[in-house]
Amino acid sequence: MKTHDFYFDLPEELIAQTPLERRDASRLLTLDKNTGAWTHRHFYDLPDLLRPGDCLIMNDSRVLPARLLGQRLPGGGACEVLLLIDRGNKVWECLVRPGKKLRRGAKVSFGNGELTAEIVDEVEGGNRLVRFDYEGIFLEVLERLGKMPLPPYIKAELEDQERYQTVYSRVNGSAAAPTAGLHFTKELMETIQNKGVPIGYVTLHVGLGTFRPVKEEDITDHDMHSEYCVIPQETADLINRTKANGGRVVCVGTTSCRTIESWAAENGHMEAKAGWTNIFIYPGYRFKVMDALITNFHLPESTLIMLVSALAGREHVLAAYEEAVRQRYRFFSFGDAMFIASEIPKIGENSENPDVSTVSEENS
C-alpha cells in the first residue's frame, strides 16, 4: 500500500489556528465504519451516540510547556530548545535551533539566568542531550518560562495555555496534546458517566514523532517512532469487564487506541502494563480491543489517517474527509472531530430533545 493512497486535498484556510470558545461546540462527523454512512452533529451530542455499558478510554497525559526561548552564552544570539525525553539527572533529549550554533559544549540561558543549560552530546538524528541547571523544581521553572510546543501548522499564538490541555490531563510528559480529548468538558464527562458509560484512563506521552511525515513510498517501510505508555490495572479491569458484558470499548484519540492495542492479548484480554510502543496501525490490522474511536481530522499521508483507515476502510475515510472539506469543517489539533463506530444511531434515536437544526440528514 502506497503513502499517496492516503492523500486528500485540504485548503489551508480549513486548518484551525485557535480553539473554539466552548470546547464541546466543535462539529462532530459520525462515520459508520461498515457502511461508510455519515451524519453531521456537534460534539455535545456525543452522549446520544454512546450506550450504557460502553466505556471510554482516555489518555491523561499532560503537555509540558517544553518550548524554551533563550540566548546563547556568552552574549550570543537567540536560540530555542524543545524538550523531548527526560534522560535523568537533569539531562533531556531536545530539539535545538540554530543547530549549527548549539554543538557540544555550547551554553544557553533562559529567563535572565533563572535556567541555564549546556549541550553535552549529540545523538542520532540531530537531537541534543542538554543538561539543565536551576534551583527548585524543574516543572515549576518550566511553568514560568516555557511555552506550549504547538504543532508546526499552527501559526497563531495561544493566549490560554490550558486550551492545549485536556480537562482531565494529570500526568506530565507529552510534547503534543492528545487532541481528540480537547473537546471534552467536565460537564460533558459527567453526563456520559451518568448515562452508564464509565471512563478509564491510560497514559501515552505524545512525542513530536507524531508529526513526522511518512517519506517512504511503501507505508510498510516507514520506521514508526516510539512513545512511552501505561495501562493501570483498573483500566485493564474496566476493559475486560466491558467486553465480557457486551459493551463497546470507545477510545478517545489515536493515542488511547495505540496504547491498548499495543498490550492487548490476541484474544483481547487486557492486563496492566507499562513500556515503550512503536505500534504502526494501517489497513489490514485486526483490532483486538477497540470497537469505536473518537478522533480529530488528521494530516494527509500521515500515520494517523492510516490508523483511522484501518478501522473504517480507506475509501470510507477519504470520502468522509472529502465531505468534511465540502462542509468546511475545521481540521487538525484545534479542529472538529469524528466518531467512528458501527450501527450509529440516526438523528434523535437516543436523544430526548434532538436539535435537528444542528445536523444534516445521513448521506444515502
Side-chain angles (χ1 to χ4, degrees), residues 9-301:
D9 189 34
L10 178 68
E12 186 174 353
E13 66 268 18
L14 296 185
I15 300 174
Q17 293 296 311
T18 55
L20 296 178
E21 182 177 350
R22 175 180 164 187
R23 287 179 182 261
D24 62 357
S26 54
R27 299 170 74 184
L28 181 68
L29 189 150
T30 72
L31 176 64
D32 188 304
K33 66 180 183 179
N34 296 328
T35 69
W38 61 67
T39 63
H40 299 291
R41 308 185 70 144
H42 284 84
F43 204 85
Y44 50 69
D45 295 320
L46 181 63
D48 298 339
L49 303 172
L50 302 173
R51 310 166 187 163
D54 292 345
C55 72
L56 283 185
I57 303 300
M58 296 176 158
N59 180 9
D60 63 4
S61 183
R62 185 169 174 83
V63 185
L64 288 169
R67 182 171 171 243
L68 291 163
L69 305 178
Q71 294 78 38
R72 305 192 304 275
L73 297 176
C79 65
E80 179 177 337
V81 173
L82 182 62
L83 307 178
L84 297 179
I85 302 171
D86 184 356
R87 297 301 189 187
N89 296 320
K90 296 187 175 182
V91 174
W92 284 73
E93 183 173 338
C94 302
L95 286 173
V96 301
R97 289 195 305 182
K100 292 182 178 180
K101 300 288 187 179
L102 295 175
R103 301 293 189 184
R104 184 181 306 169
K107 297 181 179 181
V108 296
S109 172
F110 310 95
N112 296 318
E114 182 179 353
L115 176 66
T116 58
E118 179 180 355
I119 311 299
V120 296
D121 206 352
E122 300 180 25
V123 297
E124 186 178 356
N127 292 351
R128 306 292 197 266
L129 295 183
V130 182
R131 178 179 292 113
F132 290 92
D133 187 40
Y134 52 90
E135 293 185 2
I137 300 172
F138 188 50
L139 182 58
E140 293 180 355
V141 176
L142 282 183
E143 293 288 349
R144 290 192 297 272
L145 303 182
K147 294 179 177 294
M148 280 296 163
L150 296 178
Y153 47 76
I154 294 179
K155 311 301 181 185
E157 195 73 26
L158 184 63
E159 294 183 4
D160 179 4
Q161 297 206 115
E162 280 300 309
R163 291 306 308 272
Y164 196 56
Q165 306 278 15
T166 64
V167 297
Y168 49 83
S169 64
R170 55 187 177 184
V171 184
N172 286 295
S174 278
T179 54
L182 296 179
H183 306 280
F184 284 87
T185 65
K186 291 181 179 179
E187 293 77 15
L188 184 64
M189 293 171 64
E190 184 176 350
T191 298
I192 289 169
Q193 291 173 300
N194 288 341
K195 186 172 181 174
V197 179
I199 295 174
Y201 296 95
V202 297
T203 303
L204 182 142
H205 291 318
V206 186
L208 290 183
T210 192
F211 302 116
R212 186 160 61 90
V214 179
K215 296 181 179 179
E216 290 77 11
E217 182 180 358
D218 189 320
I219 66 173
T220 59
D221 293 332
H222 177 66
D223 184 20
M224 192 70 174
H225 60 284
S226 294
E227 294 166 315
Y228 187 76
C229 59
V230 179
I231 301 173
Q233 186 63 56
E234 57 266 30
T235 301
D237 292 343
L238 172 61
I239 290 171
N240 292 333
R241 188 165 59 248
T242 299
K243 301 293 275 190
N245 293 335
R248 299 177 300 177
V249 175
V250 181
C251 287
V252 177
T254 57
T255 59
S256 299
C257 165
R258 293 180 66 241
T259 300
I260 65 173
E261 291 293 325
S262 292
W263 305 119
E266 285 300 317
N267 64 1
H269 182 75
M270 293 296 309
E271 294 185 359
K273 188 80 175 182
W276 292 85
T277 180
N278 65 348
I279 188 171
F280 183 13
I281 298 176
Y282 52 85
Y285 179 84
R286 183 184 66 84
F287 289 89
K288 300 185 286 289
V289 176
M290 185 179 75
D291 300 296
L293 176 66
I294 298 165
T295 186
N296 280 18
F297 292 90
H298 302 295
L299 277 71
E301 301 183 337

Side-chain angles (χ1 to χ4, degrees), residues 321-364:
Y321 271 53
E322 289 176 4
E323 170 68 4
V325 170
R326 283 193 296 269
Q327 299 295 332
R328 312 293 292 176
Y329 273 64
R330 291 157 47 91
F331 275 70
F332 305 160
S333 296
F334 287 139
D336 296 314
M338 297 181 74
F339 176 74
I340 305 173
S342 59
E343 301 176 358
I344 295 175
K346 291 182 172 60
I347 304 305
E349 280 188 349
N350 289 348
S351 177
E352 295 180 2
N353 298 297
D355 180 1
V356 295
S357 66
T358 66
V359 295
S360 69
E361 291 300 320
E362 184 174 7
N363 63 305
S364 59

